[in-house]
Amino acid sequence: MKRQLYLTGVLALCAWTLVPIYFLALGALGGRDLVNTFPKPFWPGSASFTTIRDFLAIDGVAAATLVSVETACLTMLFALLLGLPAGYALARFSFPGSGLFRLLILLTRAFPVAILALPLTVGFIRLGLYDTPLGVSLLHTALALPFAVLVSSSLFQAVPRELEEAAWVFGCSKFEAARRVVLPLALPGIAAIAIFAFVISWNEVFAGAVLTVRHRTLTAYLLTVLSESPLHVQFAGGFVLILPTIAFIYAVRKHLFAMWGISNR
Amino acid sequence: MKARLAALVLAALPWAAPLAHAEDLVFLSTQLRPVEEAQKMRDAILKPSPVPTTYVADVPQVVPTRLAAERQGNTHTISVVGALHGEIQPLVATNDLAPLDTLAAQLSGRGIPPALMELGKLGTAHQMYIPWMQATYIMVANKQALPYLPKGADLNALTFAQLNEWSKAVQAATGKRMLGFPAGPQGLMHRFFEGFLYPSYTGGVVRTFRSPDAEAMWTEFAGLWKSVNPNSASYNFMQEPLLAGDVWIGFDHVARMLDALRQKPNDFVAFPAPSGPKGRGYMPVLAGLAIPNGAPDMKGATALIDYLSQPATQIKMAQTAGFFPVVAATLPDDLEPGLKLAVGAIAKTQASSDARPSLLPIGLGTQGGAFDKIYLDSFQRIVLRNEPVRATLDRQAESLRKIMTETGAPCWQPDAPSTGACPVE
């Protein structure tokens, strides 16, 4: 009985993630006609990659993909470089106003980017960051940072202080102890932060569209126009857009599972 | 791993720059945004152009922000802007557009109708944009609906009364409400009221807003709505419900139904929008080309506009994108079947004996959205919420009067000309 319940749960969870992806793939591979038929066949009669190939052959998709990867990687890098030390400080040192600081960090997400669009763009033009992946990634970092700081602070809190103190006893400097003892223990969580930063940057449309002209990120390049395209193209686009995220999560899955391990301990 | 990643990123950095053609002219367009159409624009139209061009498609809301930012930051990247008449209008108020009088004189031999050129002045003394291409709204019906057409009705000279009878007959036969309108959040329903329903029933848009004719019109339209698919409130583009068979008879912008006609030209027919007691109101849609002040490549921009308004280019635009020439040009006979249906319906609309062309609102500036809202609000109150017609119209007329006096916009076709702000009678 218990085992049955367990199996049903596993199946339901698998279906929860796999069914939408399956329908997306079905729409992307089935071509124009299948998209409008209902109920849909389980297996498309004539699966073909034509739609996806046509989609990828669109001018600028390759260049935009490169910009997107670059922006997402930079965002990930900045979010980790700035977020981890801040999280460590919040976890290990108590200073007056640390509670307020946590709240203020969240406030950066309270301002809608759409309102800031004009002043931001003007500022970026003056700084020479307009239309560069670096500029877009800076804004994406600002969006990803609250999560990075708060999650990494609770992550570092979960690493027992005694381990760090033991390292000091054995002659590590504070920095060395953090790097050689705390960081490896927090690695799974850090992987999650990295994924989150990557995904935020990959999915963000508005900044990517307003701050760039020639060097669009893939999402900005396609998503603004994708919603107005014929359905089968939308499916192909959606399918192509989720693939990198799935691949990335697959690549770091080991670290993610380890994180659940920590939380269960 | 992090070090490797960083190295990868650093290695990629110098890569991105040479991929885009930095010296190309940037053509920012709010039209032909869907990926397939943008691709056709790049391949078929812009590749053979004499000016190397980077085509950037963007949503209309972003364009004023971008131009304002570039003006304030004093760095200009955009040389040509292609947008609808109503989308270019706000750019004049912020002084973001360069006057194109010389270019207009240079293109005078192309046969662009004077009325369209006049619209391109946007109420100023100078030519602010050059008309680029036009379209209108049509009706498309699934052939399965044709047997239910009322006796003696001519599809190409349909009246609103006949449309009502027709959709009721379809409803009786299928048990479903099969008439569809694009009343979704991104739909163009307001244009149906401003350009089709009001002109057809009252012969005006602003002057006749609360006339007895308008009262009768709303009552009749509320009756018609009883056979409209309730999902219409979420339809933005009619091509999808038409293709899916959820709707058999639909009204929308030709570009938003073209996909249905193209995919299944044998399943659909296209025809003009219905006529009312005062004629067959229809709204031509006009897109124009403008050059921003401080454009980095002024010479290239004028050359590109010149190229885009050549008859041969305009014919190619019609074949690839479903927008129609503004210059004197005859379309070839061997058009693809779906496009042929659309062209036929547009031609029949323009040529119909009772045609009553209704222009897009002129001179409203930034109040254009508020103007549309008056008509949409009236629709919601009267048709969707069953509020009394007379009282609603009177109340909405107050708001409309306020917009007209604030902007001081004189009447435009189909309303009779006015001295000063267009009155709500």
Side-chain angles (χ1 to χ4, degrees):
Chain A
M1 175 65 198
K2 209 172 169 190
R3 192 178 156 71
Q4 240 171 6
L5 207 69
Y6 173 75
L7 275 177
T8 328
V10 168
L11 274 178
L13 278 178
C14 286
W16 178 266
T17 46
L18 288 181
V19 167
I21 296 176
Y22 166 73
F23 274 117
L24 204 56
L26 198 66
L29 299 177
R32 278 178 188 269
D33 293 329
L34 189 108
V35 170
N36 288 312
T37 41
F38 195 88
K40 301 200 183 301
F42 182 73
W43 187 248
S46 54
S48 78
F49 286 93
T50 7
T51 321
I52 293 191
R53 207 176 45 228
D54 290 351
F55 180 80
L56 288 176
I58 292 169
D59 276 348
V61 164
T65 311
L66 202 71
V67 174
S68 241
V69 171
E70 200 176 325
T71 310
C73 287
L74 282 174
T75 305
M76 201 164 77
L77 207 70
F78 292 147
L80 291 181
L81 283 179
L82 295 171
L84 293 187
Y88 186 81
L90 272 178
R92 283 291 186 262
F93 307 110
S94 64
F95 52 90
S98 67
L100 187 70
F101 180 66
R102 278 167 197 266
L103 204 69
L104 282 178
I105 286 177
L106 278 180
L107 269 186
T108 52
R109 293 300 305 255
F111 300 102
V113 189
I115 290 177
L116 298 174
L118 182 59
L120 262 179
T121 317
V122 174
F124 274 45
I125 289 177
R126 292 197 177 132
L127 289 172
L129 290 170
Y130 186 50
D131 205 13
T132 61
L134 180 66
V136 180
S137 71
L138 283 179
L139 188 70
H140 289 175
T141 307
L143 295 175
L145 214 48
F147 180 86
V149 172
L150 295 180
V151 169
S152 65
S153 105
S154 55
L155 216 61
F156 289 133
Q157 257 164 4
V159 176
R161 192 184 273 266
E162 293 78 24
L163 291 179
E164 216 173 337
E165 281 164 357
W168 297 342
V169 169
F170 286 114
C172 279
S173 70
K174 276 201 160 177
F175 178 76
E176 247 180 313
R179 192 176 68 82
R180 297 170 74 158
V181 176
V182 182
L183 221 51
L185 283 171
L187 200 61
I190 293 174
I193 296 171
I195 291 178
F196 191 74
F198 187 92
V199 171
I200 278 196
S201 168
W202 186 270
N203 288 340
E204 203 280 335
V205 181
F206 191 82
V210 170
L211 295 178
T212 57
V213 179
R214 288 192 173 96
H215 305 100
R216 289 264 156 114
T217 61
L218 187 63
T219 347
Y221 189 72
L222 294 176
L223 219 59
T224 42
V225 298
L226 210 55
S227 57
E228 292 165 12
S229 300
L231 269 177
H232 67 287
V233 181
Q234 295 189 20
F235 276 113
F239 192 63
V240 170
L241 283 177
I242 63 164
L243 279 184
T245 348
I246 294 181
F248 189 81
I249 291 177
Y250 184 78
V252 295
R253 71 193 184 287
K254 237 180 4 193
H255 303 295
L256 272 180
F257 292 145
M259 181 171 75
W260 310 137
I262 280 191
S263 63
N264 287 339
R265 193 180 52 191
Chain B
M1 158 157 166
K2 222 161 70 179
R4 228 186 310 160
L5 204 66
L8 201 79
V9 170
L10 287 179
L13 269 175
W15 256 64
L19 269 172
H21 316 281
E23 69 285 4
D24 280 7
L25 171 156
V26 175
F27 176 11
L28 182 72
S29 166
T30 66
Q31 300 303 297
L32 307 170
R33 288 198 302 262
V35 271
E36 282 182 322
E37 269 152 44
Q39 182 62 8
K40 281 181 199 152
M41 181 74 192
R42 292 189 182 102
D43 275 348
I45 310 288
L46 292 174
K47 264 204 190 119
S49 106
V51 196
T53 304
T54 302
Y55 182 74
V56 180
D58 226 329
V59 287
Q61 304 87 291
V62 177
V63 176
T65 312
R66 188 184 294 287
L67 288 184
E70 295 199 347
R71 167 166 41 82
Q72 289 176 23
N74 217 2
T75 302
H76 292 274
T77 56
I78 295 148
S79 293
V80 177
V81 174
L84 291 183
H85 172 88
E87 293 162 0
I88 299 181
Q89 192 139 39
L91 303 178
V92 173
T94 50
N95 202 17
D96 275 317
L97 296 183
L100 302 175
D101 296 322
T102 352
L103 183 59
Q106 195 185 314
L107 298 176
S108 57
R110 296 276 159 85
I112 303 176
L116 295 186
M117 284 307 262
E118 189 59 36
L119 280 176
K121 292 188 176 166
L122 289 165
T124 65
H126 300 283
Q127 196 73 39
M128 300 317 285
Y129 71 80
I130 303 291
W132 176 21
M133 51 192 191
Q134 58 180 337
T136 185
Y137 298 72
I138 56 169
M139 307 264 316
V140 168
N142 195 312
K143 282 192 179 154
Q144 294 177 69
L146 292 183
Y148 306 105
L149 203 63
K151 285 217 163 33
D154 175 7
L155 198 59
N156 294 318
L158 208 64
T159 65
F160 273 103
Q162 285 167 335
L163 177 67
N164 191 7
E165 238 180 280
W166 186 17
S167 59
K168 291 274 184 307
V170 170
Q171 189 181 1
T174 61
K176 282 183 272 184
R177 298 156 71 172
M178 299 295 255
L179 181 60
F181 285 95
Q186 310 291 322
L188 295 170
M189 191 68 190
H190 47 283
R191 299 292 185 222
F192 173 73
F193 301 122
E194 296 161 8
F196 294 83
L197 199 62
Y198 256 102
S200 301
Y201 273 87
T202 71
V205 181
V206 176
R207 280 176 184 270
T208 55
F209 181 79
R210 51 177 292 276
S211 62
D213 285 343
E215 204 179 335
M217 170 194 94
W218 281 112
T219 316
E220 231 176 89
F221 188 67
L224 179 68
W225 198 261
K226 293 200 169 72
S227 52
V228 167
N229 189 324
N231 288 337
S232 286
S234 66
Y235 292 151
N236 296 323
F237 285 58
M238 288 312 295
Q239 55 200 17
E240 273 129 28
L242 278 167
L243 278 171
D246 294 338
V247 159
W248 275 1
I249 311 164
F251 166 93
D252 206 345
H253 190 292
V254 59
R256 294 177 168 213
M257 298 211 278
L258 203 57
D259 202 47
L261 295 176
R262 273 194 165 142
Q263 283 190 33
K264 297 183 174 164
N266 297 323
D267 290 9
F268 294 109
V269 287
F271 50 98
S275 65
K278 294 282 161 67
R280 192 177 305 276
Y282 82 95
M283 183 180 269
V285 175
L286 183 64
L289 296 162
I291 302 182
N293 268 326
D297 187 359
M298 205 68 168
K299 222 171 127 221
T302 39
L304 181 67
I305 295 181
D306 179 289
Y307 165 76
L308 288 172
S309 54
Q310 281 166 15
T313 321
Q314 297 245 314
I315 290 172
K316 222 177 334 172
M317 285 288 300
Q319 286 167 325
T320 49
F323 271 93
F324 301 92
V326 289
V327 302
T330 25
L331 291 170
D333 294 329
D334 57 338
L335 284 176
E336 63 165 293
L339 209 55
K340 211 171 194 164
L341 286 174
V343 174
I346 293 177
K348 278 173 207 148
T349 307
Q350 286 171 341
S352 71
S353 54
D354 51 352
R356 189 180 270 277
S358 315
L359 295 179
L360 285 160
I362 303 168
L364 294 180
T366 49
Q367 294 284 325
F371 180 81
D372 296 339
K373 199 168 174 296
I374 303 268
Y375 292 85
L376 283 175
D377 283 353
S378 310
F379 160 66
Q380 282 195 346
R381 291 190 156 174
I382 297 169
V383 178
L384 300 183
R385 285 193 236 145
N386 280 324
E387 289 182 25
V389 181
R390 182 78 266 155
T392 309
L393 284 183
D394 286 346
R395 202 165 36 203
Q396 294 291 328
E398 280 314 306
S399 321
L400 181 59
R401 208 169 274 143
K402 212 168 125 211
I403 293 177
M404 301 317 293
T405 38
E406 262 173 30
T407 56
C411 293
W412 59 86
Q413 225 177 312
D415 280 310
S418 68
T419 48
C422 194
V424 184
E425 285 158 2

